[in-house]
Amino acid sequence: SYLEIKLSFPHKNMAQWIKTEFGSIALLSNHDPFPKTDQALIEPNGLIAISKTLEAKKIIEAYKQGIFPWFNEHEPILWWSPDPRLILFPEDLIISSSLSKKIRKNNYRFLIDNDFSSIIKHCSEIKRKGQDGTWIDDRIINAYTELHQSKIAHSFEIYVNENLVGGLYGIVLDGVFFGESMFHYERDASKIAFVLAIQHLKNIGIKMVDCQMKTNHLLSLGAKEISRDRFIQLLNTYIKT
């Protein structure tokens, strides 16, 4: 396991580094800067740093550099910057004819930031193919709830007969939306939430959606892979603050 680690070569005023069989990874405290993304491991693809705690301000710092947290329960915080990166330009959104028909039926309510806590809770509880547990534990929930309270993290929700049946959440930094997780209890509810969220985000000036990791679900909606270098160039173009 890449978590079986040995501390080595600490530097004054810099992050320590840990050696694994795959290469070296930065061991960060909250005040340490992230390494440059070209120092991320090739395998596991994009692993770049480990930290003990997860703070909201560190998440923002990470996103601006093309890095995101992703880890399992009972693991330390693992930070990633995979290459390639899955992204969606809002104008490239693909809506199939069957999905378009469901959206036009309008037998649901679409709300934004109505119940962020329920969205992230459902995302953490939903059973996913090939996953035994969840990566959305209390550390993620607490940090992203703080970001939501700061109006940085947002939820997009689908209700049928007043019941929450699907949705997603992520964070907005200037012209970029960083998608985090989605769920559905009714067929296509998360796809409808995604489509309506992208249309809303496009209207408020979002230029790029970070989808992080490749899935057939997202590819079917128009997402595509680009190199990490190109992704970071786009971040620097679209994030000004």
Side-chain angles (χ1 to χ4, degrees):
S1 166
Y2 51 81
L3 294 179
E4 295 172 358
I5 56 179
K6 176 186 173 186
L7 286 174
S8 64
F9 52 90
H11 300 278
K12 187 177 181 182
N13 299 324
M14 291 181 65
Q16 288 185 321
W17 289 77
I18 51 179
K19 280 184 177 178
T20 76
E21 60 183 297
F22 302 103
S24 297
I25 312 165
L27 178 63
L28 304 180
S29 65
N30 285 328
H31 58 78
D32 290 324
F34 285 101
K36 292 184 182 300
T37 52
D38 60 9
Q39 294 180 270
L41 297 185
I42 296 172
E43 181 62 40
N45 182 8
L47 182 60
I48 193 169
I50 296 177
S51 63
K52 291 181 179 178
T53 59
L54 185 68
E55 291 193 356
K57 63 182 180 181
K58 199 70 176 175
I59 294 172
I60 295 172
E61 180 189 336
Y63 278 129
K64 288 181 176 181
Q65 297 175 59
I67 299 167
F68 61 87
W70 185 39
F71 49 88
N72 294 316
E73 289 179 290
H74 315 304
E75 286 183 349
I77 314 303
L78 304 180
W79 299 91
W80 303 80
S81 184
D83 187 14
R85 188 71 160 247
L86 192 73
I87 61 101
L88 172 72
F89 296 115
E91 62 271 18
D92 292 342
L93 178 67
I94 295 172
I95 309 172
S96 67
S97 56
S98 59
L99 184 59
S100 181
K101 192 178 296 183
K102 284 192 173 185
I103 292 172
R104 285 198 306 272
K105 276 187 177 178
N106 201 27
N107 59 346
Y108 56 83
R109 279 206 305 155
F110 173 64
L111 297 177
I112 300 171
D113 291 336
N114 181 64
D115 194 350
F116 184 89
S117 61
S118 288
I119 288 288
I120 197 167
K121 180 172 180 288
H122 286 302
C123 285
S124 74
E125 293 172 347
I126 198 79
K127 300 294 183 187
R128 302 181 193 274
K129 189 181 292 187
Q131 292 184 12
D132 295 329
T134 180
W135 65 274
I136 303 174
D137 65 8
D138 286 344
R139 295 170 291 179
I140 287 281
I141 290 171
N142 292 338
Y144 283 84
T145 298
E146 182 180 338
L147 289 168
H148 174 66
Q149 290 166 348
S150 301
K151 302 188 185 306
I152 295 169
H154 301 277
S155 59
F156 302 90
E157 308 149 19
I158 296 293
Y159 295 84
V160 174
N161 298 325
E162 302 305 315
N163 296 314
L164 181 60
V165 297
L168 63 132
Y169 75 95
I171 78 169
V172 171
L173 294 176
D174 290 345
V176 182
F177 176 72
F178 299 85
E180 276 300 311
S181 187
M182 60 175 70
F183 79 95
H184 69 273
Y185 293 120
E186 287 197 7
R187 184 179 174 86
D188 290 333
S190 61
K191 284 187 177 181
I192 292 172
F194 184 82
V195 166
L196 297 178
I198 297 303
Q199 291 175 340
H200 165 77
L201 292 165
K202 183 180 179 183
N203 288 339
I204 65 169
I206 295 299
K207 304 299 185 185
M208 180 175 70
V209 176
D210 175 25
C211 303
Q212 298 181 349
M213 309 292 275
K214 183 171 75 171
T215 68
N216 290 332
H217 173 72
L218 291 167
L219 290 172
S220 73
L221 290 164
K224 64 181 181 182
E225 289 187 312
I226 62 173
S227 72
R228 179 171 58 214
D229 286 348
R230 178 60 180 150
F231 176 69
I232 291 169
Q233 286 176 352
L234 291 169
L235 287 183
N236 292 333
T237 299
Y238 297 141
I239 298 178
K240 300 299 186 185
T241 57

